[in-house]
Amino acid sequence: MTTATQASETTAPTPSAPTATVPATTAPAPAPARPGPPPRPRPTALLAATGVSTAALLLLVALGTVLHHPLLIPPLAASMALVAASPQLPLSQPRSVIGGQLLSALTGFAVLAVAGPGLWSAAVAGGLALGVMMLARAPHSPAAATAVIVALGSPPFWTFTGLLAASCVLLVAVGLVTARATRRAYPVYWV
């Protein structure tokens, strides 16, 4: 036998009598880190998103002035903010911007037809719009406000729906042009 083998045999632990176990005191697990606010955007990204959003909304105002119909409604400002600042989010994709806005408007008109205009109808329309968008896999949170606007204001169906569709297509088009110019990925998906 070699000395290395002898040493390992002599140092091998021998079974011993059972001993009482002392409960180990464990330190509490550290709390998971809370997420903080998003990092500050680079100055160029900040300026690009702000400029593009402002330009798109001014374009809606200009086109609305020419058509003698207001195209800029608050939900479209929120839609453009999503497209310009967070083009990778599912809420910002063309399917969600266009589909979500149109589905919400249709939901608002359906509630309007059943219950008439008013605050109660607006609340129901806004809530139902979320379910309709989720079911269609076109989530777009600003669009819930479009359903509210329809149920409160009772706009003419064809005029409102047509102008809303044109406005949404214009916002998505601005997002596409901006993405090409800034080499960002938009849209992430179409359908």
Side-chain angles (χ1 to χ4, degrees):
M1 244 202 269
T2 65
T3 54
T5 308
Q6 290 173 345
S8 68
E9 287 177 359
T10 59
T11 59
T14 58
S16 61
T19 59
T21 57
V22 178
T25 56
T26 58
R34 287 186 172 186
R40 291 195 192 284
R42 291 172 295 149
T44 54
L46 174 73
L47 290 173
T50 304
V52 164
S53 185
T54 303
L57 298 177
L58 286 170
L59 187 58
L60 285 180
V61 171
L63 190 56
T65 301
V66 169
L67 296 174
H68 303 290
H69 287 287
L71 295 183
L72 178 61
I73 57 174
L76 293 179
S79 294
M80 192 60 222
L82 283 170
V83 171
S86 302
Q88 74 285 356
L89 291 179
L91 298 175
S92 304
Q93 302 313 304
R95 174 190 181 98
S96 294
V97 174
I98 298 168
Q101 287 286 0
L102 291 175
L103 287 170
S104 292
L106 293 175
T107 302
F109 281 114
V111 170
L112 189 61
V114 171
L119 290 173
W120 295 100
S121 298
V124 170
L128 289 178
L130 174 63
V132 170
M133 288 185 288
M134 290 176 69
L135 190 60
R137 297 178 320 140
H140 189 66
S141 51
T146 300
V148 170
I149 288 171
V150 168
L152 280 176
S154 188
F157 178 82
W158 292 110
T159 304
F160 184 86
T161 307
L163 292 174
L164 179 66
S167 298
C168 291
V169 168
L170 184 100
L171 296 182
V172 167
V174 169
L176 289 168
V177 169
T178 302
R180 299 306 174 260
T182 60
R183 295 185 207 150
R184 292 178 83 175
Y186 182 79
V188 176
Y189 60 86
W190 281 97
V191 291

